[in-house]
Amino acid sequence: MKKILFAIIILVILLAIVVVFNSREEKTKMNTDESWRNVCKVENPDDAYLDKYIPADFYEKISAGEFSRRLFPEFSDRKAWEKARRSKYADMIIEKADEALKAPVPQILFSHYRRYVIDGNRAEFQKLYFDRRVNLGYLALALCLTGNKEKYMPKVIDYAVAVMEEFTWTLHAHLRWNNGILINYRRTDLFSSETGAMMALLYHTLGSELDKEMENLSEHIRILTLSRTVYNVMYNPESAALHEWYVVKEPNNWTPWCSYNNLIAAILLEKDNERLALYVRQFLRTNARFVARYNDDGYCNEGANYYNEAGMMLFNILHLMHKIRPGSMDRIFEIPKILAMFEFIFHMRIGKKYQGSFGDARPEFSPAIDRVAICGKLINSEMLANISNFKTAALRSNGDSLDTGLKLLFDMPEIKDTEADYELPFSYFKDRLAVVRSDIFSASLKAGDNGESHNHNDLGHFTVFYKGQPLIVDGGTEIYSRKNFSEERYTLWYTRGSGHNAPVFGDTEQLYGKEYTASFIEANENKLVCDL
C-alpha cells in the first residue's frame, strides 16, 4: 500500500512539473507575440567580424521571403526519396530502423535524471535519452525511404510524442541543481538544441503525414520546439545566465553547436520572415565572435574530437546559409582563417588510424566524415577530400541521427573509398602543437598552456608511432562523469601529466591555468624541442 501511495505522489509531482513547464512555455510564446523585436541582443565588437563578407542585402532578402526553406525533400516528393533509396547508406539506415521496431520506446524516469547528482553517473540516463533520438531519426528516415507508413508510422509517432512529453530536453549534467534539487530546467543546451533541430526536420519531412495520423501534431511540434529552443534563447529574461554560449565573449564549441541547431529550428518552424531574419542575424553575429577569437592557423584548443563540434559546426552553419541563399557565404569560405579551421583535422592525423590526442580527445582518428566530405567538396580542399577517401561515414549515436542521415542521403558527395594518398611530413601550430611524420617514425609534442578549453594539464605530452602504430601510447580521455567539469577535474587520472606522457616530478603534477605555459625552442621535420 505504501509503495502504491508513493508512486501516486511521484506521478502527481511529475504532472505538476509538466503543467508548470508548459504554462511557462506558453508565456514565452506570448511574450514574443507582444514585442518580438525585443530579443536578447549581445553587443560586442567581435560580432561584426564577418559582416563585410556577408552580402549587404542578405538579411533583407530573408525578411522579404527570398530564400529557400527546402533543406531536404519532404515525404511527398517520392521521386527524390526513391532516388535516395538507391544510396549506399539507405540499407544501413533501414536496418537500424528495423532494430528499433523490435523494442519499446525507452522509458525515462526522473530517478534516471537525478542519478547524476546522486553519484555523478551520466551514462545511464544518456543512453536512454540518446536512444530515443537516434531511433526516432532512423525510423523517420526509413519511413521516407520506403514509403511504408503501416510499418513505420506508429513507432515514429510513439517516439515523437514520447520526446515531446519529456518535461525538459536539457541534459541532466547541464542543468542547475542545488543539493540534489532541480533548480532550473529551461536551459537550451547542446542537446535540447539538437533535439529541437531533430523535431524541426521531422516537421519538415513528415509534418503533413503526421497530421493524417494525429490531428494537428505538426503544429504541436512546431510550437513546443520553438518555445524550447529559439524563443527560449531570444526572449527568456534569464537568457544571459542560462545561455552563456550565446552571450559569452570567448566562445567554445557550444556556440556553433547550439547555434546551428537553433538555426535549423528557426528556418523550418518560424513562419514570420521578419522574425526569422532577426534570429539569423543574431546567431551569425554570435558565431562571428567565435571566429574572431579563433587562432589564425585554425588550431582547435579543445582537442581533435571537438573539431567535429567546433570548426565543423561552424561549417554546418555556413552551409545552412548557403542552402537557403546559394552563394551568400562564398566570401566567408575564402577567408584564410576559415579554411585553416576546416582543414585543422588533416594536421592531427598520424598514420591511417590515429591522431594527436591532447585535451579531451581520443587517440583514434574519428572525424565526422559526413561533414568533412561535404565541406571538402564545397571549399575544394584536397586535404579534406583525402580524408574522405579512406574514412567511412557512419551513423551517429547522439541526437542528430536525422540530420546526419538526411545529409548522407542528399548532400554527401561521391567518395572513392581508397587508401589515404598522402600525409604532410610536418604540421606545426606555433607554440602549441607539432607533429612530425615519416614512413618509419612519427611523433607529436604538446606545448601551449594549461588554460585551454577542455584542458588536460599535459604540457610536454608526446606520442611516438612506428609505421603508423602506437609505440609510446596515450590513453586520451574517458566517458564524462560529474567530476569532469567540477573542481575535482584534475583528480581524474587522465586529465593530469601522469595520465599522459608528460613530465611529472614525484607527486608534483602540473597546475591548471593560462600562466602555466610551454613553447617550442625548435620544431621541424627532424626535431621537436619544447621549453616547459
Side-chain angles (χ1 to χ4, degrees):
M1 186 66 185
K2 288 182 179 180
K3 289 183 178 179
I4 295 174
L5 181 60
F6 179 74
I8 293 173
I9 292 171
I10 293 296
L11 180 60
V12 170
I13 291 172
L14 290 175
L15 286 172
I17 290 173
V18 171
V19 169
V20 170
F21 185 82
N22 287 338
S23 66
R24 292 181 69 181
E25 286 178 332
E26 186 61 28
K27 185 177 179 181
T28 299
K29 177 178 178 292
M30 290 169 61
N31 286 341
T32 67
D33 291 340
E34 292 165 5
S35 181
W36 60 266
R37 288 184 179 84
N38 188 29
V39 298
C40 175
K41 292 183 179 180
V42 183
E43 299 301 329
N44 187 296
D46 289 336
D47 293 356
Y49 185 81
L50 295 176
D51 282 359
K52 64 182 179 181
Y53 302 101
I54 296 174
D57 61 353
F58 179 70
Y59 303 110
E60 181 183 340
K61 294 291 187 182
I62 294 176
S63 181
E66 296 178 34
F67 68 97
S68 173
R69 295 184 199 264
R70 193 180 187 274
L71 304 184
F72 300 102
E74 297 177 9
F75 176 88
S76 58
D77 187 352
R78 297 317 302 160
K79 286 186 178 180
W81 283 102
E82 286 165 10
K83 182 180 179 181
R85 181 65 183 87
R86 298 192 291 273
S87 163
K88 65 180 181 180
Y89 304 106
D91 286 342
M92 177 172 60
I93 290 169
I94 293 171
E95 181 180 340
K96 292 286 187 181
D98 288 346
E99 289 177 9
L101 286 176
K102 298 174 184 177
V105 178
Q107 184 183 28
I108 297 180
L109 304 175
F110 186 72
S111 58
H112 295 133
Y113 219 85
R114 197 176 182 184
R115 174 86 186 270
Y116 169 74
V117 293
I118 293 174
D119 62 11
N121 182 291
R122 292 177 59 161
E124 180 184 26
F125 169 76
Q126 287 180 186
K127 184 179 187 316
L128 299 170
Y129 178 95
F130 289 127
D131 279 355
R132 279 189 170 190
R133 286 146 178 79
V134 168
N135 289 344
L136 176 55
Y138 294 154
L139 289 161
L141 290 167
L143 172 54
C144 291
L145 283 166
T146 64
N148 192 338
K149 291 194 281 186
E150 183 179 353
K151 181 177 181 180
Y152 294 107
M153 182 62 83
K155 206 74 168 185
V156 167
I157 292 179
D158 281 348
Y159 270 96
V161 172
V163 170
M164 291 174 68
E165 287 177 341
E166 293 171 5
F167 75 94
T168 179
W169 290 341
T170 309
L171 206 66
H172 53 1
H174 297 159
L175 289 175
R176 294 159 72 182
W177 300 83
N178 184 10
N179 295 323
I181 299 173
L182 185 57
I183 302 300
N184 194 308
Y185 45 86
R186 300 200 69 216
R187 187 184 188 194
T188 301
D189 72 331
L190 297 173
F191 299 110
S192 56
S193 298
E194 216 169 65
T195 302
M198 177 190 69
M199 298 302 282
L201 289 166
L202 186 71
Y203 171 94
H204 175 61
T205 54
L206 283 168
S208 59
E209 301 303 317
L210 294 174
D211 289 344
K212 294 174 184 177
E213 307 291 331
M214 184 175 176
E215 186 180 2
N216 226 23
L217 178 57
S218 67
E219 184 63 9
H220 288 304
I221 290 173
R222 192 184 76 86
I223 292 173
L224 180 67
T225 300
L226 281 172
S227 180
R228 292 190 177 189
T229 56
V230 181
Y231 290 176
N232 194 37
V233 175
M234 292 294 170
Y235 300 105
N236 187 341
E238 298 177 305
S239 184
L242 295 178
H243 308 120
E244 69 282 356
W245 58 266
Y246 178 65
V247 302
V248 70
K249 289 183 179 180
E250 297 187 21
N252 66 3
N253 71 88
W254 275 60
T255 296
W257 191 343
C258 291
S259 297
Y260 169 64
N261 288 290
N262 276 270
L263 278 165
I264 289 176
I267 290 166
L268 296 180
L269 303 178
E270 178 55 72
K271 295 181 178 181
D272 187 315
N273 292 332
E274 284 190 72
R275 295 191 189 197
L276 176 60
L278 178 60
Y279 303 152
V280 169
R281 181 180 184 276
Q282 289 302 115
F283 284 124
L284 285 185
R285 288 176 67 81
T286 297
N287 283 274
R289 194 183 322 138
F290 173 76
V291 176
R293 294 283 178 168
Y294 224 82
N295 300 285
D296 287 340
D297 58 12
Y299 174 78
C300 178
N301 71 3
E302 300 179 78
N305 287 105
Y306 275 96
Y307 159 86
N308 290 331
E309 319 303 347
M312 278 295 95
M313 276 298 180
L314 176 70
F315 168 73
N316 277 350
I317 291 172
L318 299 177
H319 185 228
L320 187 61
M321 298 300 102
H322 173 77
K323 274 192 163 187
I324 67 172
R325 288 281 304 168
S328 60
M329 299 292 109
D330 286 353
R331 293 187 63 203
I332 295 180
F333 285 133
E334 295 172 353
I335 300 173
K337 179 194 282 193
I338 296 289
L339 296 176
M341 291 171 68
F342 294 162
E343 294 181 335
F344 166 78
I345 197 64
F346 182 84
H347 298 278
M348 290 298 95
R349 195 181 85 203
I350 302 173
K352 295 181 175 65
K353 297 182 180 179
Y354 300 98
Q355 65 184 7
S357 55
F358 68 92
D360 278 342
R362 298 183 296 276
E364 299 83 9
F365 186 58
S366 53
I369 295 301
D370 56 301
R371 299 170 192 170
V372 168
I374 297 167
C375 178
K377 182 179 180 181
L378 190 60
I379 68 172
N380 195 28
S381 167
E382 184 180 358
M383 291 181 180
L384 298 187
N386 176 256
I387 293 172
S388 304
N389 286 342
F390 81 97
K391 290 291 287 185
T392 303
L395 298 172
R396 297 217 200 286
S397 58
N398 281 358
D400 60 350
S401 63
L402 184 52
D403 182 39
T404 302
L406 288 166
K407 286 178 178 175
L408 290 177
L409 294 170
F410 295 103
D411 293 345
M412 191 74 168
E414 288 294 326
I415 56 179
K416 299 176 184 177
D417 291 331
T418 61
E419 293 295 313
D421 296 321
Y422 72 97
E423 288 184 307
L424 296 176
F426 180 55
S427 295
Y428 180 58
F429 299 91
K430 182 176 172 56
D431 284 338
R432 292 181 180 273
L433 182 72
V435 182
V436 293
R437 304 175 185 87
S438 73
D439 293 337
I440 306 300
F441 285 104
S442 299
S444 68
L445 181 62
K446 178 75 174 70
D449 64 66
N450 277 340
E452 295 182 336
S453 183
H454 292 275
N455 176 73
H456 288 207
N457 288 337
D458 60 353
L459 300 180
H461 155 53
F462 68 96
T463 54
V464 177
F465 294 77
Y466 175 69
K467 294 185 177 181
Q469 297 299 314
L471 182 65
I472 298 179
V473 303
D474 177 62
T477 190
E478 277 193 354
I479 296 172
Y480 290 160
S481 69
R482 185 173 57 194
K483 286 185 178 181
N484 283 83
F485 302 103
S486 73
E487 294 179 356
E488 299 178 272
R489 177 176 178 83
Y490 297 105
T491 66
L492 299 167
W493 73 270
Y494 56 89
T495 58
R496 298 174 285 163
S498 58
H500 299 282
N501 305 315
V504 176
F505 300 91
D507 294 329
T508 302
E509 295 274 1
Q510 296 180 30
L511 299 179
Y512 170 74
K514 285 187 176 295
E515 65 270 33
Y516 303 107
T517 64
S519 57
F520 283 98
I521 296 173
E522 190 172 355
N524 55 54
E525 294 180 21
N526 300 308
K527 192 174 184 180
L528 302 179
V529 182
C530 183
D531 180 5
L532 296 175

